[in-house]
């Protein structure tokens, strides 16, 4: 009985912790995020990535550093438990797997180009395109949570939704990419710095 009461209490608390925004609150958040995104020229941040697969008891956890430079340079550098980097640059995906380098031309691949665009948009938080997404807004504790569900049926076969959490300044602190299978990738940012000068050498493979 005690265990049942605890579960019910936790469920009620979880529901209360996430409540829908009204239209005025949603517009205020949208304006705040877009204003910040417009002035963001560089981002550097630590991150922890959690890969949830239904058949595994525990999520796969990796950590690393993100570097972004406007308009479209993005580098994800994983440092633990292995060294691996992914760089989006000049319509090419550069991969460095512990010294084994390869690259993929994404310029001619519509799906890869769309994914790259969405990755950049999700890092900055500016995905408020109602032609591309169905959007839902929520309060989550002291932060804001927005669901972006792709309207493109082909893309929705790979990503069912982006769940992006913003802090009170309108900055992205967490990105969750949910697959149709309900597996997901969650990235939690920390030590994030905006508009610090980043050397071009960072964006080499």
């Amino acid at each position: 009985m005690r265990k049942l009461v605890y579960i019910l209490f936790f469920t009620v608390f979880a529901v209360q912790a996430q409540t829908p925004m009204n239209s005025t609150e949603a517009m205020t958040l949208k304006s705040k995020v877009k204003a910040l995104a417009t002035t963001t020229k560089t981002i550097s941040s630590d991150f922890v990535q959690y890969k949830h697969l239904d058949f595994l008891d525990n999520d796969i956890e990796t950590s690393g550093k993100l570097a972004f430079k406007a308009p479209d340079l993005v580098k994800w550098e994983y440092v633990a438990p292995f060294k691996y980097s992914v760089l989006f640059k000049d319509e090419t995906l550069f991969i460095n797997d512990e010294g084994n380098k390869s690259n993929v031309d994404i310029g001619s691949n519509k799906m890869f180009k769309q994914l790259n665009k969405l990755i950049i948009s999700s890092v900055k938080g500016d995905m408020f395109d109602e032609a591309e997404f169905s959007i839902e807004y929520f309060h989550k504790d002291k932060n804001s949570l927005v669901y972006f569900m792709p309207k493109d049926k082909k893309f929705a076969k790979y990503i069912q939704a982006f769940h992006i959490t913003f802090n009170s300044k309108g900055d992205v602190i967490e990105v969750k990419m949910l697959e149709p299978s309900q597996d997901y990738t969650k990235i939690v940012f920390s030590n994030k710095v905006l508009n610090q000068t980043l050397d071009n050498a960072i964006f080499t493979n």
Side-chain angles (χ1 to χ4, degrees):
M1 177 59 74
R2 181 179 297 175
K3 186 175 182 180
L4 178 60
V5 170
Y6 173 78
I7 292 172
L8 288 173
F9 173 79
F10 179 80
T11 302
V12 171
F13 179 79
V15 170
Q16 290 178 339
Q18 182 176 316
T19 58
M21 290 186 184
N22 61 40
S23 58
T24 301
E25 292 169 331
M27 287 300 297
T28 299
L29 173 65
K30 179 179 176 180
S31 298
K32 182 188 297 185
V33 172
K34 290 181 75 68
L36 181 61
T38 299
T39 59
T40 298
K41 305 304 179 184
T42 68
I43 300 172
S44 59
S45 179
D46 297 328
F47 69 85
V48 178
Q49 176 178 297
Y50 302 90
K51 180 63 178 180
H52 176 83
L53 299 171
D54 186 59
F55 61 87
L56 295 179
D57 292 333
N58 299 307
D59 293 347
I60 301 169
E61 182 176 333
T62 52
S63 61
K65 295 181 177 295
L66 162 73
F68 164 78
K69 190 171 186 178
D72 58 4
L73 289 175
V74 183
K75 186 173 185 179
W76 299 89
E77 184 175 7
Y78 297 83
V79 296
F82 51 78
K83 292 186 177 181
Y84 184 91
S85 69
V86 178
L87 170 66
F88 292 89
K89 181 180 180 180
D90 299 329
E91 295 195 335
T92 302
L93 175 64
F94 297 92
I95 301 169
N96 188 337
D97 185 359
E98 298 187 327
N100 297 315
K101 298 182 179 181
S102 59
N103 59 74
V104 178
D105 177 15
I106 63 175
S108 58
N109 188 307
K110 181 180 178 181
M111 188 63 67
F112 266 115
K113 287 183 71 173
Q114 186 176 8
L115 179 60
N116 184 36
K117 177 184 175 183
L118 289 176
I119 288 172
I120 293 171
S121 297
S122 66
V123 167
K124 296 174 68 176
D126 188 9
M127 295 177 65
F128 298 94
D129 186 342
E130 294 184 358
E132 290 192 28
F133 299 99
S134 297
I135 306 174
E136 297 178 2
Y137 300 81
F138 302 91
H139 294 290
K140 184 180 179 183
D141 301 324
K142 296 181 180 180
N143 300 313
S144 301
L145 174 63
V146 183
Y147 291 178
F148 299 89
M149 285 75 73
K151 292 182 177 180
D152 186 323
K153 292 182 180 180
K154 290 183 179 179
F155 192 81
K157 291 180 180 179
Y158 301 94
I159 302 294
Q160 178 177 308
F162 288 83
H163 295 179
I164 302 183
T165 304
F166 301 91
N167 63 16
S168 59
K169 297 178 180 179
D171 196 10
V172 177
I173 58 174
E174 181 180 304
V175 175
K176 182 177 180 181
M177 292 173 283
L178 185 66
E179 301 168 24
S181 65
Q182 299 307 299
D183 291 337
Y184 61 81
T185 300
K186 182 174 70 174
I187 300 172
V188 180
F189 297 102
S190 61
N191 304 318
K192 197 173 184 182
V193 179
L194 305 182
N195 296 327
Q196 178 181 351
T197 301
L198 297 181
D199 196 304
N200 285 332
I202 293 174
F203 300 97
T204 57
N205 196 38

